[in-house]
Amino acid sequence: MARLLDNLLLLTVGLTLRIRLLVYWSLVYGYCALCSGVALLKLGWSILLRPAATFRWTVREIPPACLNDTSLGTHCYVRIKESGLRFHYVAAGERGKPLMLFLHGFPEFWEFKSEFRVVAVDMRGYGESDLPSSTESYRLDCLVTDVKDIVEYLGYNRCFLVGHDWGGTIAWLCAIHYPEMVTKLIVLNSPHPCVFTDYALHHPSQMLKASCYFFFQLPHFPELMLSINDFKALKSLLTSRSTGITCKGRWLTSEELEAYLYALSQPGALNGALNYFRNVFSVLPLSQSEVKAPVLLLWGERDAFLEQDMAEACRLYIRNMFRLNIISGASHWLQQDQPDIVNKLIWTFIKEGEGRKSYRNL
């Protein structure tokens, strides 16, 4: 009798989980269909208003001067033997100093070159790094392995790892899968992957904020919608007061905006960038989800894409020291909104504890 009850209980739990999963994915794809419908209406409206301009876009052939500014560092390339991909990175600071690796680097951070070998890398699908066309090439395990391979190529076995947005997600996963590689972890506006998954599942408001995740699951159509009217949607994303930089005086200059458009207008570039989102629902097996390295999490108070409650929830997955700083008035792009504050908080964090010199290695 007891065994029968146990089997019945297991069957009930299993059925409940399957129903919950079915409902979840029905919501995901239903919302994706809704987003697609809205996008189609916008496309139709654009064709009615400006039929000649709707399907016009320009591939930028001459890079803006800021992309080749040697004062920011030395432009280098590395080809990883295992993946066969070539990666572009910019490096500053003396060789032999502790490595500080930025996943999608921010020019404001070059001040760290006084005490670190600072490297900002274009991840696969971005900038001057290779742009694989296959969606499968952007699986989370591939992206995490890229970081490990680059660190080893640079001659290091440990680094101070800094990531923002998608770079932050990859940084979290690197710290989980390769804990021995990460001395300290610094993440900007990107929650621990487990926090994001659980929070989005239980909070429809976050699902709405992350609506682009669902729209980007479609093949080809998102690339079209982002590029029509000469990348009007991308320009709006980067410059509008709701989704762009909020701090007056820090708004993108015309040259900086053109740098983004130059990179994303290259053949295959939008496809590579969106393939990150098309793998966001893929499962990266985690034997454990705790982060052993000390963690600094910086969060813009006015993030238009992520809810602030997720930042505090990350504490549950940190085994070591955890610092959380909510930066008042800052947007999702807080390193550009408040660079001085961000830099000061990072300096304070990396000088805490055991210090930098104990991690000096080649």
Side-chain angles (χ1 to χ4, degrees), residues 33-47 215 221 225:
L34 177 63
C35 293
S36 303
V38 172
L40 280 170
L41 289 174
K42 289 182 178 179
L43 177 60
W45 185 249
S46 296
I47 294 173
F215 175 58
F221 187 53
M225 292 304 299

Side-chain angles (χ1 to χ4, degrees), residues 155-169:
Y156 290 82
N157 53 44
R158 294 174 71 84
C159 69
F160 290 79
L161 190 59
V162 186
H164 169 253
D165 192 72
W166 260 110
T169 299

Side-chain angles (χ1 to χ4, degrees), residues 3-116:
R3 178 174 295 180
L4 180 61
L5 290 174
D6 288 341
N7 290 337
L8 184 60
L9 179 60
L10 288 173
L11 180 62
T12 303
V13 171
L15 185 60
T16 301
L17 290 175
R18 290 191 178 190
I19 292 174
R20 182 180 177 183
L21 192 63
L22 178 63
V23 171
Y24 175 72
W25 285 109
S26 297
L27 288 172
V28 167
Y29 285 105
Y31 195 68
C32 180
L34 177 63
C35 293
S36 303
V38 172
L40 280 170
L41 289 174
K42 289 182 178 179
L43 177 60
W45 185 249
S46 296
I47 294 173
L48 287 174
L49 292 179
R50 302 180 64 194
T54 297
F55 296 103
R56 177 182 63 81
W57 59 84
T58 303
V59 176
R60 276 67 175 172
E61 296 182 355
I62 302 175
C66 61
L67 290 180
N68 296 315
D69 188 352
T70 56
S71 67
L72 296 177
T74 304
H75 290 258
C76 309
Y77 297 87
V78 52
R79 186 170 296 279
I80 303 300
K81 183 178 179 180
E82 287 75 14
S83 66
L85 297 179
R86 188 185 76 155
F87 292 87
H88 166 255
Y89 66 93
V90 181
E94 295 179 17
R95 297 179 185 273
K97 290 183 177 180
L99 175 64
M100 197 170 190
L101 181 66
F102 291 87
L103 305 183
H104 293 144
F106 321 113
E108 296 89 351
F109 289 149
W110 290 126
E111 68 170 74
F112 295 103
K113 68 181 181 181
S114 62
E115 297 189 31
F116 292 90

